[in-house]
Amino acid sequence: MEDKKEYSNGEVTVVWQAEKCIHSANCVKNNPQVFQPKMRPWINIEGSSSDKIIETVKKCPSGALSFYQNKQS
């Protein structure tokens, strides 16, 4: 069973796939305002800018974090 969660701020949606996560903590180190493993939900999508979130997600070594841009209406 795939455990996949999505978090959106309206501009960008972060997708987290738990089974791929290797707990490198790159996300936490690079953007602790958004990625807060002790909180539930652990991704606070409103914690920083979309650009900073995308930059952080791109550093995920396992591919557990990905993102897509939301269509602007």
Side-chain angles (χ1 to χ4, degrees), residues 2-19:
E2 190 173 309
D3 187 12
K4 184 164 106 175
K5 294 195 170 22
E6 296 192 358
Y7 305 86
S8 181
N9 66 4
E11 287 182 343
V12 67
T13 298
V14 172
V15 180
W16 181 57
Q17 297 175 78
E19 76 281 355

Side-chain angles (χ1 to χ4, degrees), residues 22-46:
I22 60 171
H23 305 285
S24 69
N26 280 1
C27 55
V28 178
K29 291 176 202 153
N30 284 290
N31 201 341
Q33 298 82 14
V34 172
F35 300 96
Q36 305 171 340
K38 290 182 169 53
M39 304 296 284
R40 292 293 174 263
W42 77 281
I43 296 178
N44 172 23
I45 196 74
E46 301 296 332

